Amino acid sequence: MLETPHSDTEPLSFAADAFSTMPRSDQRRWAKVYLRGLLLADGRKSVRRIADSMPVDRAKQSLQQFINQSPWDWEPVRARIAARVEGEIAPDAWVVHRVIIPKRGDRSVGVQRRFVPELGRTVNSQLVLGVSLASARANVPVDWRIALVGGWSTDRDLRRAAYIPDTVTAKPEWSEISDMLEEMLTRWELTPRPVVGDLRHLQDAAPLMAALDERGLRYVFQVDPGFRITAGGAPAAPPTVPRPVARAGKPGAATVRGHFEAVTTRLAVPHARPPAGPLGRIATVPRGRLLSSPAGLLPVPGAEATPRPVRIVAEVNGQDEFSRFWVTNAVRGNLDQVMVSAHRGVRNRQAMTELQAGFGLLDFEGRSYRGLHHHLTMVSAAFAYNVVGDAMTAAPV
């Protein structure tokens, strides 16, 4: 038996680059084994199945230790992957997303019975938040957070059993997302891009938008029809197309749907469809018609009292019904260009499906905080390698 795998398909140069920040040679060795297992093992990507698929002595015990106990820091690994992916795919958006991981029992870190709007039912599950780098070529997840709510924020026995550090505290989802974006911007020094995603099921989306405004980051977020805004005027079409017929809006319309329903009588704005990416990598987006209007973001409690200017956008389907809504702080400029970024978030769902089906996103069987973060980091590494391969080769170290 071999001590470590070696074959023509092994991503040697990628592993040397991505895992170069791990301080010990045994950590880098088992990171390479785990990466190869995520790429090549059939079926569920549990530690046991990965170990069984690798011609390596003592694989199961060593991989368990590498993922669950080894003290390697995942942040510099993620930063290294993000920097190399940025250089290869030239992202034009950062996509935020939520991942539900169904679980049995009540001891896996962060697990809780929660209503999942995406599924329409209550599920015993973990909630993981992530950010991807996205372009027409691909969406690659590079950063992750584990939502800790309920007893996971206060129950010492639960936290101790899952090895949650005392420095890790429970935060609202929007704050966890904001922290990731701040990390990518200031610690990893990535080039800032518009932040996009589906916030329909995120509680308190407005504070996230306000935080991005403070950092000077552009955003385009899909929101629930009931997202509250302050009315800002009649709808506007893109500069080069006829304007819709409109009537005076009701002052202070409380929701995005309510605003558009109040001010429109006929919708006639064509939607320019952004180019589709390579087959199998980026899904196409349904064609629709767009209507936009100025509005204001409701002030966040404890912050300035003046509403922040935003642009709200409605998509209208073939039956002249409102189908989707967005909020953006890109209040000027061509609407179609703004929506190219927004559709990166729509297309991110395919990347999440790929991660679940082919790269083991949902397959971690351990219970610890460290173990899940390690597994998520390795999933990002495997997906990044699958997208860009050895184009990410670094200089020898």
Side-chain angles (χ1 to χ4, degrees):
M1 299 283 280
L2 300 174
E3 178 62 22
T4 58
H6 182 79
S7 73
D8 292 338
T9 62
E10 185 179 10
L12 289 170
S13 57
F14 173 84
D17 181 15
F19 308 136
S20 61
T21 62
M22 294 182 183
R24 301 202 316 251
S25 61
D26 63 308
Q27 292 169 336
R28 298 190 294 273
R29 178 190 313 130
W30 291 109
K32 183 171 61 177
V33 175
Y34 201 84
L35 172 66
R36 189 167 181 234
L38 290 174
L39 290 167
L40 301 178
D42 294 327
R44 188 174 177 83
K45 313 285 186 173
S46 65
V47 168
R48 178 180 60 81
R49 289 200 175 185
I50 289 174
D52 290 344
S53 71
M54 296 290 104
V56 184
D57 286 331
R58 304 184 304 279
K60 182 179 179 181
Q61 179 181 352
S62 296
L63 288 176
Q64 288 278 14
Q65 197 278 335
F66 167 74
I67 288 294
N68 291 305
Q69 285 87 40
S70 186
W72 56 274
D73 188 352
W74 53 82
E75 185 195 334
V77 178
R78 294 175 184 176
R80 185 65 176 159
I81 294 169
R84 305 307 293 182
V85 169
E86 180 183 58
E88 179 62 24
I89 73 169
D92 54 18
W94 293 352
V95 184
V96 302
H97 44 83
R98 305 165 82 244
V99 177
I100 296 294
I101 305 177
K103 286 289 181 180
R104 296 179 179 176
D106 58 3
R107 292 291 170 175
S108 296
V109 62
V111 74
Q112 180 150 326
R113 288 191 61 79
R114 52 171 55 86
F115 180 75
V116 181
E118 297 93 325
L119 301 177
R121 56 190 174 91
T122 299
V123 180
N124 198 61
S125 59
Q126 295 164 314
L127 171 60
V128 173
L129 308 166
V131 181
S132 296
L133 304 184
S135 71
R137 179 177 174 183
N139 288 28
V140 181
V142 295
D143 208 3
W144 303 94
R145 291 292 187 276
I146 304 167
L148 300 175
V149 296
W152 295 101
S153 61
T154 57
D155 190 315
R156 291 186 178 182
D157 291 337
L158 269 181
R159 291 174 62 88
R160 188 180 301 112
Y163 300 97
I164 300 174
D166 292 339
T167 55
V168 175
T169 59
K171 297 180 180 180
E173 290 179 40
W174 74 264
S175 182
E176 296 282 16
I177 293 171
S178 179
D179 287 350
M180 283 188 283
L181 297 171
E182 177 71 13
E183 181 175 69
M184 293 166 62
L185 189 64
T186 61
R187 294 172 63 91
W188 301 1
E189 298 183 341
L190 301 182
T191 302
R193 299 299 182 198
V195 183
V196 305
D198 184 349
L199 300 190
R200 287 176 298 166
H201 308 307
L202 180 72
Q203 292 183 346
D204 298 327
L208 175 60
M209 297 178 189
L212 299 188
D213 259 340
E214 291 291 336
R215 295 190 180 100
L217 289 172
R218 175 178 290 187
Y219 62 78
V220 189
F221 290 127
Q222 185 177 355
V223 296
D224 186 84
F227 184 81
R228 295 178 60 82
I229 49 94
T230 61
T240 58
V241 301
R243 292 183 178 276
V245 175
R247 63 173 183 262
K250 297 179 181 178
T255 68
V256 289
R257 178 188 286 277
H259 175 70
F260 283 113
E261 289 178 342
V263 300
T264 60
T265 56
R266 182 170 64 85
L267 306 169
V269 183
H271 173 202
R273 183 180 180 181
L279 183 64
R281 185 65 63 196
I282 297 296
T284 57
V285 178
R287 190 182 297 268
R289 293 171 291 156
L290 295 181
L291 189 68
S292 74
S293 176
L297 191 65
L298 290 177
V300 176
E304 61 187 48
T306 304
R308 296 173 181 266
V310 294
R311 189 182 199 175
I312 56 176
V313 181
E315 182 183 64
V316 185
N317 61 24
Q319 289 74 47
D320 286 343
E321 299 170 333
F322 293 116
S323 55
R324 292 185 290 185
F325 300 90
W326 290 266
V327 174
T328 176
N329 59 353
V331 296
R332 297 181 180 85
N334 183 275
L335 181 59
D336 289 332
Q337 290 300 315
V338 172
M339 296 309 292
V340 167
S341 296
H343 285 312
R344 296 282 184 254
V346 176
R347 292 164 178 168
N348 192 66
R349 296 167 193 163
Q350 178 174 330
M352 292 300 103
T353 300
E354 288 186 53
L355 283 166
Q356 295 175 27
F359 296 88
L361 177 61
L362 308 184
D363 296 345
F364 177 65
E365 295 181 344
R367 296 179 174 180
S368 72
Y369 178 85
R370 174 186 292 169
L372 181 53
H373 266 296
H374 282 171
H375 176 75
L376 292 170
T377 302
M378 296 303 300
V379 168
S380 286
F383 195 71
Y385 176 77
N386 185 66
V387 169
V388 300
D390 274 1
M392 293 174 65
T393 302
V397 291

